[in-house]
Amino acid sequence: MITQVADILYPQIDREPAPTVVPVGVDQDPHIRLTRGIAHKMRMFTVEERDGYISVRSKNAPEAALDAVKKAFPHAKKYEGHVDIKGAQCADVAAKVREIERAHGGFAFYTPSSTYHIFMPGLTGGKMSSSIPESIISFYETEAVVRKKVMSGITGGRMTLEEQKRLGGEPDKCSIFLLNLFHMVTDDNELAEIKHKCMAGEVTCGQCKKNTAERVVAFLKDFREKMDACQDRIVV
Ligand code: SF4
């Protein structure tokens, strides 16, 4: 677990403290919470907005750092373990305090934030993995291979066409629908239409997969052109 904490915080040590957003699955939430706790604990100061003033509170800051905070703001008063500042914006104080903390050997971490994402299965239904080539679509695959992989994807379709028309498909269990949901269709109305037609049995999985394959082919063509256009800017 601690290696993940290090992974998340390292860029703020390697370069400089910066707001950090980490996209994770819900199961990774404990790692994020631990990282946030450690990042906060390793700060020398907390900066709190109070009624009419900003309080910079020392957690384990050396006295010289606290003195530097007082010196940095004309209307600051130093007390035992904290400096109170009037007439300043909280964001400005926070930025200056971070600078002072770094100058006195601290990390001055921004507490990382996270966004939560649901698990997207591969085209074969299980985990996406490069060791199962059918489960993924690579950036430089040929059109023919892309079409073949999409057409072979696990769907939420019924066993027979009659059942599909009568019961409709199950898009939430379908790797093709999820591919559209996550990557191929950005318009919510279009996505809702795909889902509706599936559940109402108004489209066959074959046709739906063909439509999806066209989207993937077009997406990859555009993506590859953009990648090629910026190749010379990539430093490895
Ligand atoms: S119609 Fe499309 S979304 Fe519905 S189950 Fe078949 S492939 Fe999936």
Side-chain angles (χ1 to χ4, degrees):
M1 205 180 223
I2 207 71
T3 56
Q4 274 166 310
V5 175
D7 271 351
I8 295 169
L9 295 180
Y10 181 69
Q12 295 200 52
I13 298 172
D14 188 39
R15 292 178 198 163
E16 59 185 39
T20 305
V21 181
V22 191
V24 292
V26 170
D27 60 321
Q28 298 294 306
D29 181 61
H31 299 291
I32 295 295
R33 285 175 192 265
L34 179 68
T35 308
R36 285 174 60 81
I38 289 175
H40 180 71
K41 276 214 178 317
M42 291 178 85
R43 287 294 312 267
M44 281 182 183
F45 296 105
T46 57
V47 178
E48 297 169 10
E49 192 155 17
R50 301 276 173 93
D51 196 12
Y53 66 98
I54 313 291
S55 187
V56 179
R57 311 194 74 79
S58 164
K59 292 162 48 160
N60 54 7
E63 208 56 29
L66 209 55
D67 287 338
V69 172
K70 183 194 174 298
K71 221 170 147 191
F73 297 94
H75 304 294
K77 278 193 179 166
K78 186 176 170 222
Y79 301 93
E80 181 68 35
H82 64 107
V83 173
D84 291 347
I85 301 161
K86 285 190 174 168
Q89 296 295 317
C90 192
D92 296 339
V93 174
K96 189 68 194 169
V97 165
R98 218 169 232 118
E99 212 178 276
I100 292 167
E101 185 171 326
R102 292 260 288 171
H104 287 81
F107 294 105
F109 289 130
Y110 280 83
T111 307
S113 305
S114 52
T115 52
Y116 293 89
H117 303 265
I118 61 171
F119 172 74
M120 182 184 164
L123 289 168
T124 45
K127 202 174 168 184
M128 274 189 205
S129 168
S130 54
S131 59
I132 313 169
E134 303 77 31
S135 70
I136 57 167
I137 296 169
S138 307
F139 295 144
Y140 282 98
E141 260 163 349
T142 64
E143 274 191 29
V145 172
V146 170
R147 288 181 203 282
K148 190 169 173 215
K149 284 187 176 182
V150 174
M151 294 308 289
S152 310
I154 297 278
T155 73
R158 304 291 174 176
M159 294 297 282
T160 65
L161 187 57
E162 185 278 321
E163 274 184 340
Q164 180 83 0
K165 282 185 177 167
R166 182 163 48 88
L167 301 171
E170 296 179 286
D172 294 336
K173 294 182 183 170
C174 174
S175 71
I176 303 300
F177 181 73
L178 294 176
L179 181 59
N180 284 305
L181 171 71
F182 279 100
H183 296 298
M184 295 301 138
V185 179
T186 52
D187 180 343
D188 285 352
N189 292 329
E190 190 183 346
L191 205 55
E193 179 75 5
I194 294 170
K195 190 169 190 172
H196 167 77
K197 282 190 171 168
C198 168
M199 294 175 77
E202 290 175 12
V203 64
T204 63
C205 288
Q207 187 56 53
C208 188
K209 288 200 268 193
K210 271 186 195 155
N211 299 344
T212 304
E214 292 311 317
R215 288 187 198 106
V216 179
V217 166
F219 172 86
L220 285 177
K221 183 172 178 292
D222 178 56
F223 191 79
R224 282 192 289 251
E225 280 170 8
K226 287 176 179 158
M227 284 214 327
D228 292 345
C230 64
Q231 276 298 331
D232 58 337
R233 289 194 236 158
I234 297 170
V235 180
V236 184

